Amino acid sequence: MEKCDKKETIIQAALELVAEHGFHGAPMAMIAEKAGVGAGTIYRYFDCKDTLIMEIYSIVEERFVTALMEGYPEKGSVRERFLHMGAVLVRHLIAAPLELRFVEQFHNSPYGVAHRREKLFGEREKDIIRELFDEARQQQIFKDLDLPILFALSFGPLVDVSRDHILKFINLTDQLIEQTVGACWDAVRR
């Protein structure tokens, strides 16, 4: 196995195990076994489990950003960009159920708390989502609510319906996705 292939195999094995069993239920030895590598091999690529988890999250986030930028209406209104973002999020999550489960684990862990705190209040470069929300708040398009509340009203329901689609509780057609994202828009706009 090539070096690059081994690293990707380890990442995929960890993604699957964390999605299925959670962070504590996916020890490095189990990840190594699933990846078909020696336990010591993982440490050639990742100095610890925390590094592995953060890298997986970065990969998952980058996949979403890549999907988001495809057809992104940069010159569109705040509403057009919001609707695009929401629809892409839902379609991406239902196409990648392991990533959805990993992200849910991540966001409900100390890793996710630190990551969200930095995104919401940190000094690092803002991302496209944060920029859109800041623009909407400055133009008084969104309700006068704290950013975490606006994010929750926007993305929380979309993550929930994506999960419910994967579990076959609902069937998200294109029309239903548009209606659901529209409902999230209505929740945050003035």
Side-chain angles (χ1 to χ4, degrees):
M1 211 184 293
E2 300 274 331
K3 269 191 169 191
C4 185
D5 291 344
K6 279 186 184 180
K7 184 176 181 181
E8 289 172 16
T9 302
I10 292 165
I11 288 170
Q12 185 61 35
L15 174 65
E16 291 173 17
L17 287 170
V18 168
E20 188 67 32
H21 303 290
F23 293 118
H24 296 297
M28 292 295 256
M30 185 184 283
I31 294 168
E33 182 179 329
K34 183 163 184 70
V37 300
T41 303
I42 291 179
Y43 295 102
R44 290 187 195 151
Y45 302 99
F46 308 100
D47 60 352
C48 64
K49 188 174 177 181
D50 292 348
T51 304
L52 173 59
I53 288 168
M54 293 307 294
E55 184 157 339
I56 293 170
Y57 185 80
S58 293
I59 290 167
V60 168
E61 188 175 50
E62 182 58 36
R63 288 177 186 162
F64 170 66
V65 170
T66 298
L68 176 66
M69 295 312 295
E70 190 172 312
Y72 184 73
E74 287 186 54
K75 304 284 188 219
S77 67
V78 167
R79 182 179 185 276
E80 289 171 313
R81 289 178 281 155
F82 180 94
L83 295 177
H84 172 84
M85 218 174 261
V88 167
L89 175 65
V90 172
R91 287 186 179 98
H92 183 76
L93 292 176
I94 64 177
L98 284 177
E99 291 182 12
L100 169 58
R101 291 193 347 236
F102 178 88
V103 167
E104 286 183 308
Q105 293 277 342
F106 183 88
H107 282 289
N108 291 306
S109 74
Y111 302 108
V113 171
H115 181 76
R116 286 186 65 222
R117 183 174 287 116
E118 176 59 32
K119 274 202 177 266
L120 291 168
F121 310 113
E123 296 300 316
R124 73 178 232 187
E125 186 176 312
K126 292 181 183 176
D127 61 30
I128 193 166
I129 297 169
R130 174 68 188 270
E131 288 173 359
L132 176 68
F133 276 66
D134 285 346
E135 178 184 339
R137 291 169 77 203
Q138 288 168 358
Q139 293 179 17
Q140 297 185 340
I141 295 170
F142 282 177
K143 292 175 178 161
D144 186 25
L145 296 169
D146 290 338
L147 197 55
I149 296 170
L150 292 172
F151 276 12
L153 290 171
S154 301
F155 302 120
L158 298 179
V159 170
D160 287 348
V161 298
S162 298
R163 182 184 334 100
D164 286 349
H165 173 87
I166 291 165
L167 295 172
K168 301 193 184 320
F169 296 159
I170 58 174
N171 180 29
L172 287 173
T173 62
D174 287 342
Q175 181 182 6
L176 190 52
I177 290 171
E178 288 176 25
Q179 290 174 327
T180 304
V181 175
C184 291
W185 168 259
D186 291 341
V188 296
R189 74 177 170 89
R190 285 182 188 262

